[in-house]
mmCIF file of all heavy atoms in Angstrom:
data_model
loop_
_atom_site.group_PDB
_atom_site.id
_atom_site.type_symbol
_atom_site.label_atom_id
_atom_site.label_comp_id
_atom_site.label_asym_id
_atom_site.label_seq_id
_atom_site.Cartn_x
_atom_site.Cartn_y
_atom_site.Cartn_z
ATOM 1 N N PRO A 3 -27.278 10.095 -108.889
ATOM 2 C CA PRO A 3 -28.115 9.023 -109.430
ATOM 3 C C PRO A 3 -29.522 9.051 -108.848
ATOM 4 O O PRO A 3 -29.729 9.463 -107.704
ATOM 5 C CB PRO A 3 -27.376 7.753 -108.990
ATOM 6 C CG PRO A 3 -26.735 8.150 -107.690
ATOM 7 C CD PRO A 3 -26.392 9.618 -107.811
ATOM 8 N N LEU A 4 -30.469 8.609 -109.656
ATOM 9 C CA LEU A 4 -31.863 8.537 -109.219
ATOM 10 C C LEU A 4 -32.461 7.231 -109.724
ATOM 11 O O LEU A 4 -32.491 6.977 -110.931
ATOM 12 C CB LEU A 4 -32.657 9.723 -109.767
ATOM 13 C CG LEU A 4 -34.126 9.843 -109.349
ATOM 14 C CD1 LEU A 4 -34.257 10.014 -107.836
ATOM 15 C CD2 LEU A 4 -34.791 11.023 -110.071
ATOM 16 N N ALA A 5 -32.919 6.398 -108.795
ATOM 17 C CA ALA A 5 -33.549 5.126 -109.133
ATOM 18 C C ALA A 5 -35.067 5.246 -109.019
ATOM 19 O O ALA A 5 -35.594 6.256 -108.565
ATOM 20 C CB ALA A 5 -33.027 4.022 -108.215
ATOM 21 N N GLU A 6 -35.759 4.197 -109.452
ATOM 22 C CA GLU A 6 -37.213 4.055 -109.426
ATOM 23 C C GLU A 6 -37.859 4.918 -110.512
ATOM 24 O O GLU A 6 -37.785 6.149 -110.501
ATOM 25 C CB GLU A 6 -37.814 4.372 -108.057
ATOM 26 C CG GLU A 6 -37.287 3.485 -106.941
ATOM 27 C CD GLU A 6 -37.583 2.002 -107.161
ATOM 28 O OE1 GLU A 6 -38.601 1.680 -107.824
ATOM 29 O OE2 GLU A 6 -36.795 1.168 -106.673
ATOM 30 N N SER A 7 -38.514 4.234 -111.435
ATOM 31 C CA SER A 7 -39.004 4.898 -112.648
ATOM 32 C C SER A 7 -39.968 6.039 -112.359
ATOM 33 O O SER A 7 -39.901 7.092 -113.012
ATOM 34 C CB SER A 7 -39.667 3.871 -113.568
ATOM 35 O OG SER A 7 -40.761 3.234 -112.927
ATOM 36 N N ASN A 8 -40.868 5.870 -111.400
ATOM 37 C CA ASN A 8 -41.833 6.940 -111.153
ATOM 38 C C ASN A 8 -41.215 8.118 -110.417
ATOM 39 O O ASN A 8 -41.661 9.262 -110.571
ATOM 40 C CB ASN A 8 -43.049 6.387 -110.419
ATOM 41 C CG ASN A 8 -43.891 5.501 -111.325
ATOM 42 O OD1 ASN A 8 -43.642 5.424 -112.526
ATOM 43 N ND2 ASN A 8 -44.877 4.834 -110.766
ATOM 44 N N ALA A 9 -40.165 7.880 -109.634
ATOM 45 C CA ALA A 9 -39.414 8.997 -109.055
ATOM 46 C C ALA A 9 -38.738 9.800 -110.167
ATOM 47 O O ALA A 9 -38.694 11.041 -110.110
ATOM 48 C CB ALA A 9 -38.374 8.482 -108.065
ATOM 49 N N MET A 10 -38.215 9.112 -111.168
ATOM 50 C CA MET A 10 -37.616 9.804 -112.319
ATOM 51 C C MET A 10 -38.649 10.676 -113.022
ATOM 52 O O MET A 10 -38.365 11.825 -113.387
ATOM 53 C CB MET A 10 -37.052 8.787 -113.313
ATOM 54 C CG MET A 10 -35.903 7.977 -112.784
ATOM 55 S SD MET A 10 -35.462 6.675 -113.968
ATOM 56 C CE MET A 10 -34.656 5.534 -112.831
ATOM 57 N N LEU A 11 -39.852 10.136 -113.214
ATOM 58 C CA LEU A 11 -40.900 10.917 -113.873
ATOM 59 C C LEU A 11 -41.200 12.190 -113.097
ATOM 60 O O LEU A 11 -41.329 13.271 -113.687
ATOM 61 C CB LEU A 11 -42.171 10.081 -114.016
ATOM 62 C CG LEU A 11 -42.124 8.893 -114.974
ATOM 63 C CD1 LEU A 11 -43.471 8.163 -114.987
ATOM 64 C CD2 LEU A 11 -41.738 9.318 -116.387
ATOM 65 N N LEU A 12 -41.305 12.084 -111.783
ATOM 66 C CA LEU A 12 -41.606 13.266 -110.978
ATOM 67 C C LEU A 12 -40.477 14.285 -111.037
ATOM 68 O O LEU A 12 -40.717 15.500 -111.120
ATOM 69 C CB LEU A 12 -41.881 12.858 -109.531
ATOM 70 C CG LEU A 12 -43.191 12.097 -109.315
ATOM 71 C CD1 LEU A 12 -43.250 11.548 -107.888
ATOM 72 C CD2 LEU A 12 -44.397 12.985 -109.607
ATOM 73 N N HIS A 13 -39.245 13.817 -111.014
ATOM 74 C CA HIS A 13 -38.109 14.727 -111.109
ATOM 75 C C HIS A 13 -38.096 15.441 -112.463
ATOM 76 O O HIS A 13 -37.950 16.673 -112.539
ATOM 77 C CB HIS A 13 -36.798 13.979 -110.913
ATOM 78 C CG HIS A 13 -35.587 14.792 -111.259
ATOM 79 N ND1 HIS A 13 -35.112 15.793 -110.447
ATOM 80 C CD2 HIS A 13 -34.782 14.782 -112.365
ATOM 81 C CE1 HIS A 13 -34.060 16.357 -111.021
ATOM 82 N NE2 HIS A 13 -33.843 15.759 -112.179
ATOM 83 N N LEU A 14 -38.241 14.674 -113.529
ATOM 84 C CA LEU A 14 -38.169 15.257 -114.872
ATOM 85 C C LEU A 14 -39.315 16.225 -115.126
ATOM 86 O O LEU A 14 -39.148 17.228 -115.832
ATOM 87 C CB LEU A 14 -38.189 14.139 -115.919
ATOM 88 C CG LEU A 14 -36.962 13.224 -115.947
ATOM 89 C CD1 LEU A 14 -37.253 11.967 -116.757
ATOM 90 C CD2 LEU A 14 -35.747 13.956 -116.508
ATOM 91 N N ALA A 15 -40.480 15.942 -114.549
ATOM 92 C CA ALA A 15 -41.667 16.744 -114.831
ATOM 93 C C ALA A 15 -41.795 17.979 -113.954
ATOM 94 O O ALA A 15 -42.654 18.830 -114.207
ATOM 95 C CB ALA A 15 -42.914 15.884 -114.660
ATOM 96 N N GLU A 16 -40.958 18.102 -112.940
ATOM 97 C CA GLU A 16 -41.071 19.238 -112.022
ATOM 98 C C GLU A 16 -41.036 20.558 -112.794
ATOM 99 O O GLU A 16 -40.143 20.804 -113.598
ATOM 100 C CB GLU A 16 -39.930 19.202 -111.005
ATOM 101 C CG GLU A 16 -40.056 20.229 -109.898
ATOM 102 C CD GLU A 16 -41.238 19.943 -108.973
ATOM 103 O OE1 GLU A 16 -41.517 18.762 -108.699
ATOM 104 O OE2 GLU A 16 -41.868 20.930 -108.538
ATOM 105 N N GLY A 17 -42.066 21.392 -112.563
ATOM 106 C CA GLY A 17 -42.129 22.690 -113.219
ATOM 107 C C GLY A 17 -42.600 22.655 -114.654
ATOM 108 O O GLY A 17 -42.544 23.674 -115.347
ATOM 109 N N THR A 18 -43.103 21.520 -115.110
ATOM 110 C CA THR A 18 -43.590 21.396 -116.483
ATOM 111 C C THR A 18 -45.074 21.051 -116.482
ATOM 112 O O THR A 18 -45.659 20.726 -115.441
ATOM 113 C CB THR A 18 -42.830 20.312 -117.279
ATOM 114 O OG1 THR A 18 -43.337 19.008 -116.899
ATOM 115 C CG2 THR A 18 -41.332 20.386 -117.023
ATOM 116 N N ALA A 19 -45.673 21.032 -117.674
ATOM 117 C CA ALA A 19 -47.088 20.691 -117.803
ATOM 118 C C ALA A 19 -47.358 19.217 -117.531
ATOM 119 O O ALA A 19 -48.525 18.822 -117.393
ATOM 120 C CB ALA A 19 -47.573 21.054 -119.204
ATOM 121 N N LEU A 20 -46.329 18.399 -117.443
ATOM 122 C CA LEU A 20 -46.529 16.975 -117.175
ATOM 123 C C LEU A 20 -46.782 16.671 -115.703
ATOM 124 O O LEU A 20 -47.067 15.529 -115.355
ATOM 125 C CB LEU A 20 -45.318 16.157 -117.656
ATOM 126 C CG LEU A 20 -45.096 16.100 -119.160
ATOM 127 C CD1 LEU A 20 -43.959 15.151 -119.487
ATOM 128 C CD2 LEU A 20 -46.370 15.669 -119.895
ATOM 129 N N LEU A 21 -46.679 17.684 -114.851
ATOM 130 C CA LEU A 21 -47.005 17.531 -113.431
ATOM 131 C C LEU A 21 -48.022 18.617 -113.081
ATOM 132 O O LEU A 21 -47.705 19.805 -113.144
ATOM 133 C CB LEU A 21 -45.749 17.671 -112.569
ATOM 134 C CG LEU A 21 -45.863 17.213 -111.120
ATOM 135 C CD1 LEU A 21 -46.253 15.740 -111.040
ATOM 136 C CD2 LEU A 21 -44.540 17.443 -110.401
ATOM 137 N N PRO A 22 -49.258 18.243 -112.744
ATOM 138 C CA PRO A 22 -50.310 19.240 -112.559
ATOM 139 C C PRO A 22 -49.964 20.276 -111.495
ATOM 140 O O PRO A 22 -49.396 19.957 -110.449
ATOM 141 C CB PRO A 22 -51.517 18.396 -112.124
ATOM 142 C CG PRO A 22 -51.255 17.031 -112.672
ATOM 143 C CD PRO A 22 -49.765 16.864 -112.594
ATOM 144 N N ALA A 23 -50.341 21.524 -111.770
ATOM 145 C CA ALA A 23 -50.115 22.605 -110.808
ATOM 146 C C ALA A 23 -51.168 22.602 -109.709
ATOM 147 O O ALA A 23 -50.874 22.941 -108.557
ATOM 148 C CB ALA A 23 -50.121 23.950 -111.530
ATOM 149 N N ASP A 24 -52.399 22.222 -110.041
ATOM 150 C CA ASP A 24 -53.473 22.165 -109.049
ATOM 151 C C ASP A 24 -53.159 21.090 -108.011
ATOM 152 O O ASP A 24 -52.759 19.970 -108.360
ATOM 153 C CB ASP A 24 -54.789 21.847 -109.760
ATOM 154 C CG ASP A 24 -55.940 21.690 -108.794
ATOM 155 O OD1 ASP A 24 -56.488 22.710 -108.357
ATOM 156 O OD2 ASP A 24 -56.268 20.525 -108.453
ATOM 157 N N SER A 25 -53.353 21.416 -106.746
ATOM 158 C CA SER A 25 -52.935 20.499 -105.687
ATOM 159 C C SER A 25 -53.711 19.187 -105.720
ATOM 160 O O SER A 25 -53.142 18.108 -105.466
ATOM 161 C CB SER A 25 -53.074 21.165 -104.314
ATOM 162 O OG SER A 25 -54.429 21.498 -104.053
ATOM 163 N N TYR A 26 -55.006 19.245 -106.021
ATOM 164 C CA TYR A 26 -55.782 18.006 -106.079
ATOM 165 C C TYR A 26 -55.373 17.167 -107.282
ATOM 166 O O TYR A 26 -55.189 15.942 -107.168
ATOM 167 C CB TYR A 26 -57.274 18.299 -106.125
ATOM 168 C CG TYR A 26 -58.098 17.029 -106.220
ATOM 169 C CD1 TYR A 26 -58.236 16.197 -105.120
ATOM 170 C CD2 TYR A 26 -58.714 16.657 -107.417
ATOM 171 C CE1 TYR A 26 -58.968 15.015 -105.192
ATOM 172 C CE2 TYR A 26 -59.442 15.485 -107.505
ATOM 173 C CZ TYR A 26 -59.572 14.664 -106.392
ATOM 174 O OH TYR A 26 -60.287 13.497 -106.477
ATOM 175 N N ASP A 27 -55.217 17.795 -108.430
ATOM 176 C CA ASP A 27 -54.804 17.050 -109.625
ATOM 177 C C ASP A 27 -53.412 16.454 -109.438
ATOM 178 O O ASP A 27 -53.137 15.340 -109.901
ATOM 179 C CB ASP A 27 -54.831 17.957 -110.850
ATOM 180 C CG ASP A 27 -56.245 18.321 -111.288
ATOM 181 O OD1 ASP A 27 -57.194 17.655 -110.818
ATOM 182 O OD2 ASP A 27 -56.398 19.264 -112.085
ATOM 183 N N ARG A 28 -52.554 17.188 -108.733
ATOM 184 C CA ARG A 28 -51.221 16.647 -108.464
ATOM 185 C C ARG A 28 -51.329 15.425 -107.543
ATOM 186 O O ARG A 28 -50.644 14.419 -107.754
ATOM 187 C CB ARG A 28 -50.333 17.710 -107.825
ATOM 188 C CG ARG A 28 -48.898 17.247 -107.573
ATOM 189 C CD ARG A 28 -48.083 18.351 -106.907
ATOM 190 N NE ARG A 28 -47.781 19.417 -107.839
ATOM 191 C CZ ARG A 28 -46.553 19.736 -108.252
ATOM 192 N NH1 ARG A 28 -45.517 19.065 -107.806
ATOM 193 N NH2 ARG A 28 -46.360 20.714 -109.095
ATOM 194 N N ALA A 29 -52.211 15.499 -106.553
ATOM 195 C CA ALA A 29 -52.412 14.348 -105.680
ATOM 196 C C ALA A 29 -52.976 13.162 -106.453
ATOM 197 O O ALA A 29 -52.599 12.007 -106.214
ATOM 198 C CB ALA A 29 -53.334 14.722 -104.521
ATOM 199 N N LEU A 30 -53.870 13.427 -107.405
ATOM 200 C CA LEU A 30 -54.365 12.355 -108.265
ATOM 201 C C LEU A 30 -53.220 11.730 -109.065
ATOM 202 O O LEU A 30 -53.179 10.511 -109.255
ATOM 203 C CB LEU A 30 -55.417 12.891 -109.242
ATOM 204 C CG LEU A 30 -56.844 13.030 -108.747
ATOM 205 C CD1 LEU A 30 -57.715 13.607 -109.859
ATOM 206 C CD2 LEU A 30 -57.392 11.694 -108.274
ATOM 207 N N CYS A 31 -52.313 12.561 -109.516
ATOM 208 C CA CYS A 31 -51.148 12.059 -110.241
ATOM 209 C C CYS A 31 -50.362 11.094 -109.358
ATOM 210 O O CYS A 31 -50.018 9.979 -109.781
ATOM 211 C CB CYS A 31 -50.284 13.239 -110.688
ATOM 212 S SG CYS A 31 -48.877 12.787 -111.717
ATOM 213 N N TYR A 32 -50.099 11.490 -108.127
ATOM 214 C CA TYR A 32 -49.400 10.607 -107.195
ATOM 215 C C TYR A 32 -50.205 9.324 -106.960
ATOM 216 O O TYR A 32 -49.653 8.218 -106.899
ATOM 217 C CB TYR A 32 -49.167 11.302 -105.854
ATOM 218 C CG TYR A 32 -48.283 12.522 -105.897
ATOM 219 C CD1 TYR A 32 -48.377 13.499 -104.905
ATOM 220 C CD2 TYR A 32 -47.348 12.716 -106.909
ATOM 221 C CE1 TYR A 32 -47.573 14.629 -104.923
ATOM 222 C CE2 TYR A 32 -46.547 13.837 -106.942
ATOM 223 C CZ TYR A 32 -46.659 14.792 -105.953
ATOM 224 O OH TYR A 32 -45.867 15.906 -105.971
ATOM 225 N N GLN A 33 -51.517 9.489 -106.800
ATOM 226 C CA GLN A 33 -52.377 8.326 -106.573
ATOM 227 C C GLN A 33 -52.187 7.286 -107.669
ATOM 228 O O GLN A 33 -52.010 6.091 -107.387
ATOM 229 C CB GLN A 33 -53.840 8.772 -106.539
ATOM 230 C CG GLN A 33 -54.851 7.626 -106.560
ATOM 231 C CD GLN A 33 -56.264 8.121 -106.763
ATOM 232 O OE1 GLN A 33 -56.758 8.919 -105.962
ATOM 233 N NE2 GLN A 33 -56.923 7.672 -107.829
ATOM 234 N N TRP A 34 -52.212 7.728 -108.924
ATOM 235 C CA TRP A 34 -52.101 6.782 -110.023
ATOM 236 C C TRP A 34 -50.679 6.256 -110.184
ATOM 237 O O TRP A 34 -50.478 5.115 -110.621
ATOM 238 C CB TRP A 34 -52.609 7.423 -111.317
ATOM 239 C CG TRP A 34 -54.108 7.548 -111.339
ATOM 240 C CD1 TRP A 34 -54.845 8.695 -111.223
ATOM 241 C CD2 TRP A 34 -55.055 6.478 -111.461
ATOM 242 N NE1 TRP A 34 -56.181 8.401 -111.269
ATOM 243 C CE2 TRP A 34 -56.345 7.054 -111.420
ATOM 244 C CE3 TRP A 34 -54.936 5.094 -111.602
ATOM 245 C CZ2 TRP A 34 -57.501 6.283 -111.520
ATOM 246 C CZ3 TRP A 34 -56.089 4.333 -111.703
ATOM 247 C CH2 TRP A 34 -57.350 4.923 -111.665
ATOM 248 N N LEU A 35 -49.688 7.047 -109.818
ATOM 249 C CA LEU A 35 -48.316 6.532 -109.828
ATOM 250 C C LEU A 35 -48.153 5.413 -108.802
ATOM 251 O O LEU A 35 -47.501 4.391 -109.078
ATOM 252 C CB LEU A 35 -47.319 7.654 -109.533
ATOM 253 C CG LEU A 35 -47.142 8.723 -110.612
ATOM 254 C CD1 LEU A 35 -46.230 9.835 -110.100
ATOM 255 C CD2 LEU A 35 -46.584 8.143 -111.899
ATOM 256 N N PHE A 36 -48.745 5.589 -107.612
ATOM 257 C CA PHE A 36 -48.681 4.540 -106.605
ATOM 258 C C PHE A 36 -49.479 3.310 -107.059
ATOM 259 O O PHE A 36 -49.036 2.168 -106.870
ATOM 260 C CB PHE A 36 -49.228 5.044 -105.263
ATOM 261 C CG PHE A 36 -48.475 6.212 -104.688
ATOM 262 C CD1 PHE A 36 -49.141 7.175 -103.945
ATOM 263 C CD2 PHE A 36 -47.106 6.357 -104.886
ATOM 264 C CE1 PHE A 36 -48.452 8.256 -103.396
ATOM 265 C CE2 PHE A 36 -46.420 7.434 -104.344
ATOM 266 C CZ PHE A 36 -47.086 8.385 -103.598
ATOM 267 N N PHE A 37 -50.636 3.535 -107.641
ATOM 268 C CA PHE A 37 -51.451 2.447 -108.178
ATOM 269 C C PHE A 37 -50.667 1.652 -109.223
ATOM 270 O O PHE A 37 -50.689 0.415 -109.220
ATOM 271 C CB PHE A 37 -52.716 3.052 -108.793
ATOM 272 C CG PHE A 37 -53.563 2.093 -109.598
ATOM 273 C CD1 PHE A 37 -54.554 1.339 -108.984
ATOM 274 C CD2 PHE A 37 -53.395 1.982 -110.977
ATOM 275 C CE1 PHE A 37 -55.347 0.468 -109.736
ATOM 276 C CE2 PHE A 37 -54.182 1.112 -111.726
ATOM 277 C CZ PHE A 37 -55.155 0.360 -111.104
ATOM 278 N N GLU A 38 -49.964 2.360 -110.081
ATOM 279 C CA GLU A 38 -49.206 1.686 -111.139
ATOM 280 C C GLU A 38 -48.159 0.748 -110.558
ATOM 281 O O GLU A 38 -48.006 -0.388 -111.016
ATOM 282 C CB GLU A 38 -48.556 2.726 -112.060
ATOM 283 C CG GLU A 38 -47.935 2.154 -113.322
ATOM 284 C CD GLU A 38 -46.487 1.732 -113.154
ATOM 285 O OE1 GLU A 38 -45.822 2.262 -112.248
ATOM 286 O OE2 GLU A 38 -46.020 0.875 -113.934
ATOM 287 N N GLN A 39 -47.460 1.200 -109.533
ATOM 288 C CA GLN A 39 -46.399 0.378 -108.968
ATOM 289 C C GLN A 39 -46.930 -0.704 -108.022
ATOM 290 O O GLN A 39 -46.376 -1.803 -107.977
ATOM 291 C CB GLN A 39 -45.392 1.257 -108.224
ATOM 292 C CG GLN A 39 -44.451 1.996 -109.153
ATOM 293 C CD GLN A 39 -43.483 1.055 -109.863
ATOM 294 O OE1 GLN A 39 -42.523 0.568 -109.271
ATOM 295 N NE2 GLN A 39 -43.735 0.794 -111.138
ATOM 296 N N TYR A 40 -48.000 -0.434 -107.315
ATOM 297 C CA TYR A 40 -48.485 -1.383 -106.296
ATOM 298 C C TYR A 40 -49.465 -2.398 -106.870
ATOM 299 O O TYR A 40 -49.451 -3.571 -106.477
ATOM 300 C CB TYR A 40 -49.132 -0.631 -105.134
ATOM 301 C CG TYR A 40 -49.531 -1.519 -103.987
ATOM 302 C CD1 TYR A 40 -48.573 -1.998 -103.076
ATOM 303 C CD2 TYR A 40 -50.863 -1.902 -103.803
ATOM 304 C CE1 TYR A 40 -48.939 -2.832 -102.030
ATOM 305 C CE2 TYR A 40 -51.230 -2.733 -102.752
ATOM 306 C CZ TYR A 40 -50.263 -3.192 -101.877
ATOM 307 O OH TYR A 40 -50.623 -4.020 -100.842
ATOM 308 N N SER A 41 -50.337 -1.968 -107.785
ATOM 309 C CA SER A 41 -51.401 -2.842 -108.280
ATOM 310 C C SER A 41 -51.202 -3.301 -109.715
ATOM 311 O O SER A 41 -51.525 -4.436 -110.056
ATOM 312 C CB SER A 41 -52.756 -2.120 -108.175
ATOM 313 O OG SER A 41 -53.054 -1.803 -106.840
ATOM 314 N N HIS A 42 -50.705 -2.420 -110.565
ATOM 315 C CA HIS A 42 -50.619 -2.672 -112.008
ATOM 316 C C HIS A 42 -49.342 -3.427 -112.383
ATOM 317 O O HIS A 42 -49.395 -4.518 -112.963
ATOM 318 C CB HIS A 42 -50.682 -1.304 -112.711
ATOM 319 C CG HIS A 42 -50.731 -1.322 -114.201
ATOM 320 N ND1 HIS A 42 -49.645 -1.622 -114.990
ATOM 321 C CD2 HIS A 42 -51.752 -1.035 -115.051
ATOM 322 C CE1 HIS A 42 -49.986 -1.516 -116.259
ATOM 323 N NE2 HIS A 42 -51.255 -1.167 -116.327
ATOM 324 N N GLU A 43 -48.209 -2.876 -112.032
ATOM 325 C CA GLU A 43 -46.923 -3.454 -112.426
ATOM 326 C C GLU A 43 -46.715 -4.882 -111.902
ATOM 327 O O GLU A 43 -46.232 -5.739 -112.645
ATOM 328 C CB GLU A 43 -45.784 -2.522 -111.972
ATOM 329 C CG GLU A 43 -44.439 -2.788 -112.628
ATOM 330 C CD GLU A 43 -43.580 -3.757 -111.830
ATOM 331 O OE1 GLU A 43 -44.003 -4.153 -110.713
ATOM 332 O OE2 GLU A 43 -42.505 -4.130 -112.334
ATOM 333 N N PRO A 44 -47.105 -5.196 -110.654
ATOM 334 C CA PRO A 44 -46.828 -6.541 -110.138
ATOM 335 C C PRO A 44 -47.552 -7.669 -110.861
ATOM 336 O O PRO A 44 -47.152 -8.832 -110.729
ATOM 337 C CB PRO A 44 -47.290 -6.453 -108.679
ATOM 338 C CG PRO A 44 -47.189 -5.010 -108.333
ATOM 339 C CD PRO A 44 -47.593 -4.300 -109.587
ATOM 340 N N VAL A 45 -48.628 -7.346 -111.581
ATOM 341 C CA VAL A 45 -49.300 -8.416 -112.315
ATOM 342 C C VAL A 45 -49.101 -8.282 -113.828
ATOM 343 O O VAL A 45 -48.761 -9.260 -114.498
ATOM 344 C CB VAL A 45 -50.806 -8.504 -111.957
ATOM 345 C CG1 VAL A 45 -50.979 -9.112 -110.585
ATOM 346 C CG2 VAL A 45 -51.491 -7.154 -112.020
ATOM 347 N N ILE A 46 -49.277 -7.094 -114.374
ATOM 348 C CA ILE A 46 -49.206 -6.957 -115.829
ATOM 349 C C ILE A 46 -47.763 -6.993 -116.312
ATOM 350 O O ILE A 46 -47.403 -7.760 -117.222
ATOM 351 C CB ILE A 46 -49.945 -5.687 -116.280
ATOM 352 C CG1 ILE A 46 -51.443 -5.857 -115.975
ATOM 353 C CG2 ILE A 46 -49.708 -5.413 -117.768
ATOM 354 C CD1 ILE A 46 -52.302 -4.668 -116.290
ATOM 355 N N ALA A 47 -46.894 -6.204 -115.699
ATOM 356 C CA ALA A 47 -45.488 -6.206 -116.120
ATOM 357 C C ALA A 47 -44.812 -7.530 -115.785
ATOM 358 O O ALA A 47 -44.034 -8.064 -116.603
ATOM 359 C CB ALA A 47 -44.740 -5.052 -115.462
ATOM 360 N N VAL A 48 -45.080 -8.056 -114.622
ATOM 361 C CA VAL A 48 -44.450 -9.319 -114.218
ATOM 362 C C VAL A 48 -44.908 -10.458 -115.121
ATOM 363 O O VAL A 48 -44.098 -11.291 -115.561
ATOM 364 C CB VAL A 48 -44.736 -9.607 -112.735
ATOM 365 C CG1 VAL A 48 -44.306 -11.023 -112.378
ATOM 366 C CG2 VAL A 48 -44.009 -8.598 -111.852
ATOM 367 N N ALA A 49 -46.201 -10.501 -115.424
ATOM 368 C CA ALA A 49 -46.700 -11.535 -116.330
ATOM 369 C C ALA A 49 -46.051 -11.412 -117.704
ATOM 370 O O ALA A 49 -45.644 -12.414 -118.304
ATOM 371 C CB ALA A 49 -48.223 -11.443 -116.445
#
């Protein structure tokens, strides 16, 4: 089993074009995934 929606996205995207190969772009991907859960979801999804 795998919980947490963004962890699922990272697992499913491993080795595909949905997860950037470039190390900086991949870090940006993580940055926005963390932003989504920490800043975006708690106000927009909760509301």
Side-chain angles (χ1 to χ4, degrees):
L4 183 62
E6 301 299 332
S7 60
N8 289 352
M10 295 173 203
L11 292 180
L12 290 171
H13 169 75
L14 293 165
E16 188 67 37
T18 78
L20 292 186
L21 194 59
D24 177 80
S25 62
Y26 179 73
D27 289 345
R28 183 181 288 245
L30 277 179
C31 185
Y32 297 156
Q33 170 190 301
W34 287 108
L35 290 174
F36 299 147
F37 170 89
E38 190 271 336
Q39 283 291 285
Y40 186 77
S41 299
H42 185 286
E43 196 268 355
V45 286
I46 294 177
V48 170

